[in-house]
Amino acid sequence: MFNLSSRPEAAASHIAALDLGSNSFHMIVARWDNGQLTLLDRLREPVRLGFGLQADGSLSKDARERALACLERFGECLRAYPSRSVRIVGTKTLRSVNDGGEFLAAAEARLGHPVEIISGDEEARLIYLGVAHCIAPDKGNRIVMDIGGGSTEVILGEGMTTSLKESLSMGCVAITKQFFHDGKVSEKSITKALIACLQELQPVKDEFIERGWQQVLGASGSIKAVAKVCEANGWSDGAITAVSLDKIIARYLDEGKLDIDMPGLSDDRKPVFLGGAIVLRALFEALQLKTMIAADWALREGLLFDQKGRLENHDIRQASVDALALRFHVNMEKATAVESTALQLLAQVAQTWQLTANDASKLLGWAARLYQVGLDIAHNDYHKHSAYIVQHVDLAGCSRAEQAQLSALVLAHRKRFPAKNFPLDNIDLVRLAILLRLAAIFHRGRIKDGLPVIALTAEGKKIKLSLPQQWLQNHPLTQADLETEQRHLGDVGYQLDVVSG
């Protein structure tokens, strides 16, 4: 989530990434040396959060306690870190839980940092980014797969850029929970599990096959565990094949249970290993794979590289915003003019309103670029269409919370302040909305003689806008809009005084 409140932060020497997955929670800490990532520490705990997801969408008490106890331990390492140096993301289970707000509040209290819930599309992008930095790309397409606890990501890309991403609702925990919950294994249960995975792949497999690839890579726990088992049993040098997967599944059929010993298989991976192997076997069959190599890096390493980009102002979110604006034919001349005015207003009140120069300016600027996207659907109430698009479209680099903040600003840029659909308790966001509203007023129509010098001051909920008297008299529509705005802001407790002189 964007950090809008200005507060002093210590200089960052290290950065950290946390992946709160459906099977395990991972944390890595790293530093950058001469442009290279140096990993300093790794922590992993098999929390099995996905096993605690109930039919009604709630988390079981045991799963919550396991998760929060783990985060308490992780938090000991993170509390001294500045927030800009830490990225924490939740994936499939946290996307699915219906009481997520309560859990996230408890999680953030233990970690000392916000948790972002990311979409499956964003998860896939970060996975590919981590793998691409781990194994240097060859020429041509590569396909990357990551089997998590609750979902499986399949990504096609070239170099560092993805071209096709899918997040599928099948994972090692989900398959184990659905088909092997009693710990028993039979040919019938394996067949049902495999068919379920193939059904999940059916709608997407053809497009991947048609595009083709020259390299097949896997990432994360399930795939790396399969590679270790293949090597330990002498089936390969670590490469994964359909034949080796069949041998793993056959071993479980012979034993008739989940809890079996197998060379190369760690104790903590045992409860979900078969589920992951079945998902992988379905991927091999549906996508007609022959051999796969396991990469050491995945989502959390991708988070580190993405965070490095943000710290160095190479933020993919900017490119995502611009691409969305282009897709919906936004008038960029007007959008950048509104952005420029909004940022000028922000600069004048940032100190008194205690807003950060970095995150606040990014969020405000991006809202200015996107508030018109709804015009491509309909002019009437276009701000509502704009807000819906911004909230629900896949914006690479953005978490759900960030898109919600951006959507709220877009919704609030005109007409009455949307009190029922805006987080009025978020004072910083309210104030950014006010700045966007004022900037939009000054660019509502074409002003041929340009804008005057606009002076803005603010003290709490009192705002003073100073304009040249002659300019205001020459622009009666703007003057009328400002008078209307005084009433709208009064509805949410703010007093706008317009002074001409």
Side-chain angles (χ1 to χ4, degrees), residues 120-121 124 128 141-146 152-158 161-168 170 200-217 283 285-289:
D121 192 79
Y128 186 88
N141 283 343
R142 51 167 43 176
I143 190 168
V144 174
M145 280 153 277
D146 184 305
T152 292
E153 279 63 49
V154 185
I155 314 108
L156 196 69
E158 184 175 5
T161 305
T162 62
S163 57
L164 181 62
K165 306 184 292 290
E166 292 290 346
S167 182
L168 306 170
M170 57 185 191
E200 186 72 16
L201 281 158
Q202 182 63 31
V204 303
K205 67 182 182 68
D206 288 343
E207 187 172 2
F208 281 97
I209 292 171
E210 287 169 6
R211 297 197 187 191
W213 51 82
Q214 287 70 52
Q215 190 178 28
V216 181
L217 299 172
L283 287 165
E285 181 174 335
L287 298 172
Q288 304 168 19
L289 306 178

Side-chain angles (χ1 to χ4, degrees), residues 1-10 81-84 112-114 350 353-357 359 428:
M1 186 181 294
F2 290 96
N3 174 29
L4 303 179
S5 294
S6 178
R7 60 172 67 92
E9 289 191 334
Y81 281 54
S83 53
R84 69 181 182 278
H113 298 278
W353 269 351
Q354 295 184 312
L355 295 167
T356 64
D359 281 6
D428 297 331

